[in-house]
């Protein structure tokens, strides 16, 4: 796992994907911070973080699109799959590389909370809760993106498909609002990433939601392992 | 070291590899020979655990590739058809990655130096793989396979894309590696396999068509005794030819005699085939001595690996009868071509069915003729040439 993790980290910086991701992330966060927080003269960050949902949704595929599709296309997966490592090591190595980059991005924008703390009074628990909410969200989304990357050889297709799938997850809420059947409504709304995320940003720490995001991450990594395993059997 | 039992791979309806079994001992170099699409790469991908088998078992150093993949894979160094190179890395970074990936415990710097020296890539270690030529990429691929010094090396067409000098280098290297490693090597290039391998498996359409050393394979396919003789008769005329043909035919155990072209003035060659496991060389010698003829040449027609390969992959081996009829080389084959031309000339006037009939009838007639009346036939033939 370590070798794959280190290679992926290297590849992010060699290919430039890391710089693009970090730059766009910092830029968007900066704009929202300026407009939503500084502009309104508040230390309340919930609104900013909840609107970041949609940008995380579009940025995560930049990190994940290449991870497995390129391996398949360049036949380098032959090197990985015939090396004495398990499929979980391969998948988790890549997963944690992407997650690390996401953490780096979050650390970059943590500077804003320090700015806030200097300028006014902040409720640290809510503020930190917001950062952690975004981290959990990223952890789940990266697993989804990695899974989709395993399904295709074309990284652009992987990126577009990931964006669509993540966007559908975002739409689950508005979908469930229009459904009259109580059971379906309940199922859809309990699968909603957005409402759980928003709950977090408002300072409510809900252990079920943490578990929800972590299980989503685990589940999609598991699917990715199955996809690699299935390709072997196909 | 490697044990393969009843290995089968099915893609939907297509049987890519059909029930093959073989084993390779330590220190052997096994050549996998077959035309494109024969199932070589599929077999190698199964051996290395890249794809699974539909049924059958593979043991690498005692470890089952499907049951205990990590142990089995740690014994294998694999160079696939397309080397699995990350083209955005430098050679050094890539080899370092493979070193970590394989959890190599050998002293890092020394081991990587050794591998690079062995594959002659020390000079390009700081270059990015994307900028390397095909030959160098192939060598980096080989270097990657050698990392961690695995007891089994599986190389899928290792010399593809190399220039002749590099091919020779790689072959020498493989032979050298074969002393300490078990090597499986695939190729569709005959001389390569012949030059490097101890044992050969010829695979065609997913089945093993032949298995053994080059000599064994040749022997197993040529149980008939065939030879070409050049005999100087007493009169140096065509009459000699008739007489000699008849006299040899009269010997016990002779299945088939045919006079061939006039190779020297008034001296003819004869293709002779004896019944299985019968050596008629002495009888012929006696005959010639008695009649006062001179044997100027006697050549047993041994099959070269190339003949074997063609014979097997053209589907002749499937039916022994077919093999026998196709074998008598040279003139008889010419005759077939002659037939073809004959038919082609008449193409315009005949419907396809009639043409086919004509062809089979004609060739059947020719076959008969060649068995009964060799002399006339070869005269025709000689005339043609």
């Amino acid at each position: 796992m370590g070798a794959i993790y280190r290679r992926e980290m290297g590849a992010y910086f060699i290919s430039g994907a890391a710089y693009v991701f970090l730059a766009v992330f910092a830029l968007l966060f900066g704009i929202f911070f300026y407009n939503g927080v500084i502009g309104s003269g508040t230390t309340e960050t919930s609104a900013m973080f909840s609107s970041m949902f949609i940008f995380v949704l579009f940025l995560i595929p930049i990190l994940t699109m290449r991870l497995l599709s390129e391996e398949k296309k360049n036949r380098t997966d032959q090197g990985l799959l015939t090396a004495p490592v398990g499929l979980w090591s391969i998948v988790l190595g890549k997963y944690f590389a992407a997650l690390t980059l996401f953490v780096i991005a979050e650390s970059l924008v943590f500077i804003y909370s320090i700015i806030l703390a200097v300028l006014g009074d902040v409720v640290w628990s809510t503020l930190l809760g917001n950062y952690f909410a975004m981290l959990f969200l990223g952890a789940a989304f990266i697993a989804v993106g990695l899974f989709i990357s395993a399904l295709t050889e074309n990284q652009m297709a992987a990126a577009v498909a990931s964006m669509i799938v993540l966007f559908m997850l975002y739409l689950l809420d508005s979908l469930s609002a229009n459904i009259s059947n109580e059971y379906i409504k309940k199922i859809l709304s309990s699968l909603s990433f957005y409402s759980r995320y928003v709950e977090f940003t408002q300072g409510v720490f809900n252990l079920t939601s943490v578990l929800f995001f972590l299980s989503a991450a685990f589940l999609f990594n598991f699917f990715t392992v199955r996809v690699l395993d299935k390709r072997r059997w196909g | 070291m490697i044990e393969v039992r009843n290995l089968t791979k099915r893609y939907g309806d297509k049987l890519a590899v059909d029930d093959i079994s073989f084993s390779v001992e330590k220190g052997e170099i096994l050549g996998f020979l077959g035309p494109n699409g024969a199932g070589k790469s599929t077999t190698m991908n199964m051996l290395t655990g890249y794809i699974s088998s539909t049924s059958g078992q593979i043991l690498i150093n005692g470890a089952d590739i499907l049951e205990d993949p990590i142990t089995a894979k740690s014994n294998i160094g694999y160079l696939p058809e397309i080397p699995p190179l990350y083209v955005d890395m430098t050679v050094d970074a890539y080899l370092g990655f493979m070193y970590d990936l394989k959890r190599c415990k050998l002293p890092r710097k020394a081991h990587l130096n050794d591998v690079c020296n062995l594959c002659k890539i020390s000079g390009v270690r700081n270059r990015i793989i994307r900028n390397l030529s095909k030959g160098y990429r192939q060598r980096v691929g080989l270097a990657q396979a050698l990392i961690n010094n695995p007891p089994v090396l599986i190389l899928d067409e290792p010399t593809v894309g190399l220039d002749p000098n590099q091919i020779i280098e790689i072959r020498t290297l493989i032979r050298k590696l074969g002393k300490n490693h078990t090597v499986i090597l695939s190729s569709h290039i005959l001389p390569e396999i012949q030059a490097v391998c101890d044992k050969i498996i010829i695979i065609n359409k997913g089945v093993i068509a032949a298995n053994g050393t080059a000599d064994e394979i040749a022997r197993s396919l040529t149980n008939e005794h065939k030879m070409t003789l050049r005999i100087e008769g007493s009169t140096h005329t065509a009459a000699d030819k008739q007489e000699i043909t008849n006299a040899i035919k009269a010997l016990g155990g002779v299945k088939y005699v045919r006079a061939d072209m006039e190779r020297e003035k008034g001296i003819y060659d004869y293709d002779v085939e004896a019944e299985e496991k019968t050596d008629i060389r002495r009888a012929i010698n006696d005959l010639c001595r008695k009649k006062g003829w001179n044997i100027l040449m006697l050549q047993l027609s041994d099959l070269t690996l190339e003949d074997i390969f063609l014979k097997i992959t053209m589907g002749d081996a499937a039916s022994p009868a077919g093999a026998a009829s196709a074998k008598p080389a040279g003139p008889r084959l010419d005759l077939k071509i002659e037939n073809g031309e004959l038919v082609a000339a008449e193409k315009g006037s005949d419907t396809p069915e009639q043409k086919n009939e004509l062809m089979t009838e004609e060739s059947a007639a020719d076959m008969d003729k060649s068995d009964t009346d060799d002399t006339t036939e070869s005269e025709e033939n000689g005339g043609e040439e």
Side-chain angles (χ1 to χ4, degrees):
Chain A
M1 193 172 104
I4 291 166
Y5 173 82
R6 281 193 295 279
R7 201 205 81 76
E8 287 304 333
M9 287 307 286
Y12 273 135
F13 286 96
I14 291 172
S15 71
Y19 301 109
V20 173
F21 176 77
L22 293 176
V24 177
F25 192 91
L27 179 73
L28 287 172
F29 205 96
I31 291 172
F32 275 78
F33 180 73
Y34 184 77
N35 282 347
V37 184
I38 301 283
S40 324
T42 170
T43 55
E44 167 63 46
T45 52
S46 302
M48 175 186 76
F49 271 96
S50 57
S51 40
M52 281 306 285
F53 183 96
I54 193 113
F55 291 102
V56 172
L57 182 165
F58 284 109
L59 286 176
I60 291 286
I62 297 178
L63 292 182
T64 57
M65 61 180 190
R66 218 197 71 258
L67 288 177
L68 284 161
S69 57
E70 279 287 285
E71 298 269 0
K72 198 174 170 188
K73 189 174 162 200
N74 297 334
R75 305 286 286 272
T76 44
D77 60 338
Q78 266 185 315
L80 290 185
L81 296 174
T82 58
V85 289
L87 293 175
W88 273 105
S89 307
I90 296 172
V91 171
L92 288 183
K94 286 171 179 289
Y95 175 76
F96 283 121
L99 191 62
T100 304
L101 216 64
F102 191 75
V103 170
I104 293 174
E106 279 213 55
S107 321
L108 276 183
V109 298
F110 192 71
I111 193 162
Y112 295 124
S113 52
I114 296 166
I115 293 173
L116 279 185
V118 172
L119 295 177
D121 293 329
V122 293
V123 186
W124 276 107
S125 57
T126 316
L127 195 57
L128 287 178
N130 279 333
Y131 280 100
F132 275 107
M134 196 185 244
L135 179 62
F136 288 131
L137 184 73
F141 279 7
I142 287 168
V144 175
L146 181 58
F147 167 67
I148 290 166
S149 166
L151 298 176
T152 171
E153 283 188 23
N154 183 330
Q155 51 170 311
M156 282 323 288
V160 172
S162 305
M163 285 177 193
I164 291 171
V165 169
L166 295 177
F167 197 68
M168 295 305 282
L169 288 176
Y170 171 65
L171 290 180
L172 268 183
D173 265 321
S174 41
L175 194 67
S176 69
N178 292 324
I179 283 174
S180 51
N181 186 315
E182 278 304 313
Y183 291 107
I184 297 180
K185 192 172 182 151
K186 188 142 192 242
I187 291 170
L188 287 183
S189 59
S190 56
L191 283 177
S192 164
F193 282 60
Y194 186 66
S195 55
R196 288 178 193 279
Y197 175 70
V198 167
E199 192 184 66
F200 253 112
T201 60
Q202 284 159 357
V204 183
F205 183 85
N206 188 344
L207 194 64
T208 13
S209 296
V210 176
L211 281 177
F212 175 82
F213 285 122
L214 293 183
S215 345
F218 171 79
L219 193 68
F220 278 97
N221 278 328
F222 174 74
F223 287 157
T224 310
V225 170
R226 298 317 300 166
V227 169
L228 294 186
D229 206 27
K230 183 192 165 271
R231 196 185 296 160
R232 213 162 61 91
W233 292 89
Chain B
M1 205 68 182
I2 303 171
E3 180 111 30
V4 174
R5 295 184 194 135
N6 308 97
L7 192 66
T8 300
K9 180 71 184 178
R10 193 183 281 280
Y11 288 111
D13 287 342
K14 196 183 171 290
L15 209 52
V17 172
D18 185 7
D19 193 30
I20 69 173
S21 303
F22 60 87
S23 64
V24 194
E25 301 305 321
K26 189 173 160 51
E28 263 181 351
I29 305 181
L30 172 76
F32 238 56
L33 186 63
N36 294 320
K40 301 188 298 278
S41 290
T42 309
T43 308
M44 294 195 145
N45 280 337
M46 283 191 281
L47 286 176
T48 52
Y50 178 58
I51 56 174
S52 63
S53 52
T54 309
S55 66
Q57 195 183 27
I58 299 166
L59 297 175
I60 308 283
N61 217 352
D64 188 305
I65 193 82
L66 290 179
E67 303 290 328
D68 189 4
I70 307 256
T71 315
K73 285 172 184 174
S74 64
N75 283 306
I76 301 175
Y78 182 35
L79 172 63
E81 213 171 345
I82 300 165
L85 307 175
Y86 293 100
V87 293
D88 54 359
M89 295 172 103
T90 63
V91 173
D92 234 7
Y94 172 69
L95 293 178
F97 163 67
M98 290 310 289
Y99 177 94
D100 292 337
L101 189 68
K102 294 186 175 188
R103 297 200 183 99
C104 186
K105 295 283 185 290
L106 300 164
R108 186 181 182 105
K109 207 171 164 196
H111 183 52
L112 290 181
N113 278 340
D114 284 351
V115 166
C116 288
N117 287 335
L118 207 55
C119 298
K120 301 210 166 102
I121 51 171
S122 301
V124 298
R125 287 179 67 170
N126 292 319
R127 285 177 57 186
I128 291 173
I129 295 176
R130 178 180 290 118
N131 303 331
L132 294 180
S133 66
K134 177 100 174 72
Y136 270 111
R137 288 184 188 204
Q138 196 74 22
R139 291 193 218 187
V140 175
L142 187 62
Q144 160 274 126
L146 291 175
I147 284 176
N148 205 15
N149 219 1
V152 174
L153 283 176
I154 296 184
L155 313 172
D156 199 351
E157 309 208 347
T159 56
V160 164
L162 302 182
D163 67 41
N165 279 329
Q166 293 171 331
I167 290 180
I168 292 168
E169 276 175 25
I170 293 274
R171 280 184 195 161
T172 318
L173 176 59
I174 293 171
R175 258 200 303 265
K176 205 158 109 190
L177 292 169
K179 286 179 188 138
N180 303 312
H181 299 71
T182 305
V183 182
I184 297 187
L185 164 85
S186 84
S187 180
H188 57 260
I189 305 159
L190 289 146
E192 180 163 303
I193 295 277
Q194 215 163 7
V196 174
C197 301
D198 306 320
K199 262 170 75 179
I200 297 167
I201 286 180
I202 300 182
I203 182 168
N204 188 36
K205 292 175 188 150
V207 292
I208 291 182
N211 183 356
T213 64
D215 289 346
E216 277 168 12
I217 292 176
R219 231 177 291 139
S220 73
L221 284 174
T222 50
N223 40 19
E224 323 102 286
H225 272 275
K226 286 205 195 87
M227 61 188 90
T228 306
L229 285 155
R230 184 172 300 168
I231 300 174
E232 184 183 25
S234 36
T235 62
H236 287 213
T237 60
D240 275 355
K241 193 159 78 169
Q242 184 72 58
E243 193 189 347
I244 292 170
T245 310
N246 289 336
I248 295 176
K249 203 177 276 179
L251 289 172
V254 177
K255 222 160 90 181
Y256 166 87
V257 187
R258 234 181 98 260
D260 198 350
M261 287 159 46
E262 184 177 13
R263 297 286 179 180
E264 291 169 40
K265 184 90 187 100
I267 302 169
Y268 296 85
D269 277 11
Y270 304 86
D271 291 332
V272 181
E273 189 182 326
E275 274 158 24
E276 263 173 50
K277 315 262 178 328
T278 318
D279 194 347
I280 54 163
R281 286 174 300 179
R282 287 169 191 82
I284 289 175
N285 198 19
D286 283 345
L287 174 76
C288 293
R289 209 181 315 142
K290 232 179 284 163
K291 298 269 191 180
W293 302 330
N294 296 314
I295 298 178
L296 302 183
M297 184 195 81
L298 190 156
Q299 189 178 31
L300 292 173
S301 355
D302 281 332
L303 289 181
T304 63
L305 196 56
E306 192 140 2
D307 295 328
I308 296 165
F309 183 63
L310 285 173
K311 194 166 160 176
I312 287 171
T313 53
M314 299 301 273
D316 284 331
S319 58
S325 71
K327 188 47 207 159
R332 216 170 171 192
L333 277 174
D334 289 348
L335 196 80
K336 277 186 180 166
I337 294 162
E338 216 176 86
N339 264 336
E341 280 170 3
L342 211 98
V343 173
E346 289 170 7
K347 222 183 202 167
S349 56
D350 289 317
T351 62
E353 287 87 2
Q354 279 172 324
K355 191 191 84 191
N356 276 342
E357 258 177 51
L358 197 77
M359 201 159 87
T360 40
E361 270 172 25
E362 282 231 357
S363 35
D366 278 326
M367 289 296 185
D368 288 346
K369 214 161 64 174
S370 68
D371 283 335
T372 52
D373 192 358
D374 294 307
T375 327
T376 31
E377 186 199 313
S378 56
E379 257 169 9
E380 273 169 19
N381 221 333
E384 274 296 309
E385 304 206 14

